[in-house]
Amino acid sequence: MNEMLLLRHGETEWSKAGKHTGRTDLPLTEHGEDQARALAPLVKGESFDLVLVSPAGRARRTAELAGLPGYRVDPDLWEWDYGGYEGITTPEIRKTRPGWYLWRDGVIPGDAEHPGESAAEVAARADRVIARAKETPGRVALVAHGHFLRVLAARWLGLDPAEGRLFKLDTGTYSRLGYEHEEPVLLAWNAPVG
């Protein structure tokens, strides 16, 4: 692999409201669809040897609107499972856990559909995706979620998964991972389009 393009899906009602959205499958808002369409010039005329997309509808729709229809769904690209914090904002969580910070404090267990994950478990999934990407000759594109892609970037750079906290990532943006003198680097991060 010589370069990896990362696309964060477009806006949903929950991302707009700041709610933690792990495995809850919400559609894109109208603005989110516009964000996804705005990513199309990045991929138009480009060839990718591997395109992996999260199973979430918001990611699959983003891939389609961005012009990446020939993708493979990869369950390793799901967003962080927020467990008992699914659908809750950080200010709401801090009412019962003052000072709570996902990257330091993690999540509490939820129901059967949202058991929750540690940063290490998210990192294990990210490491598997990176391994698949590195086996691919040429260019790779991933369409996934904010916290997951932040962990993936940290792991790409050989950092602890919690260092993903350093890589803010907005909806409808793109990032690029690659190499400089055979060393993994960020080529672009949280770049807006348009």
Side-chain angles (χ1 to χ4, degrees):
M1 185 207 81
N2 54 33
E3 184 179 284
M4 192 173 353
L5 174 68
L6 312 179
L7 302 180
R8 181 174 176 202
H9 66 75
E11 175 191 84
T12 68
E13 286 298 333
W14 280 14
S15 67
K16 182 179 175 181
K19 294 181 178 184
H20 290 86
T21 316
R23 304 302 166 91
T24 302
D25 205 359
L26 299 172
L28 298 177
T29 62
E30 185 175 324
H31 177 64
E33 293 212 352
D34 290 342
Q35 288 178 313
R37 284 186 203 92
L39 294 166
L42 292 169
V43 300
K44 186 176 182 181
E46 298 288 332
S47 63
F48 294 95
D49 300 285
L50 178 65
V51 179
L52 300 175
V53 177
S54 163
R58 58 194 183 271
R60 289 182 285 118
R61 182 71 174 144
T62 296
E64 292 158 6
L65 292 173
L68 292 167
Y71 60 79
R72 279 187 11 216
V73 171
D74 187 335
D76 279 336
L77 289 172
W78 265 116
E79 178 60 295
W80 194 319
D81 182 342
Y82 299 116
Y85 294 144
E86 182 77 6
I88 302 173
T89 67
T90 296
E92 290 170 332
I93 295 165
R94 287 181 173 171
K95 287 178 184 176
T96 57
R97 283 188 76 182
W100 176 82
Y101 188 51
L102 173 67
W103 300 98
R104 179 189 59 235
D105 304 319
V107 302
I108 60 172
D111 60 22
E113 292 181 21
H114 307 96
E117 278 183 298
S118 68
E121 290 170 318
V122 179
R125 292 192 288 113
D127 288 346
R128 290 192 298 265
V129 172
I130 290 169
R132 284 193 288 284
K134 284 182 173 180
E135 292 171 357
T136 303
R139 299 181 69 220
V140 174
L142 306 178
V143 184
H145 312 275
H147 280 126
F148 176 81
L149 290 173
R150 292 168 70 175
V151 171
L152 184 130
R155 299 303 298 142
W156 175 256
L157 297 172
L159 302 173
D160 185 83
E163 298 307 312
R165 68 186 172 80
L166 301 172
F167 305 112
K168 182 181 186 311
L169 191 58
D170 298 318
T171 58
T173 58
Y174 73 93
S175 302
R176 293 183 191 277
L177 306 179
Y179 297 95
E180 180 184 50
H181 306 297
E182 295 83 39
E183 292 297 320
V185 296
L186 299 179
L187 301 172
W189 190 259
N190 199 32
V193 290

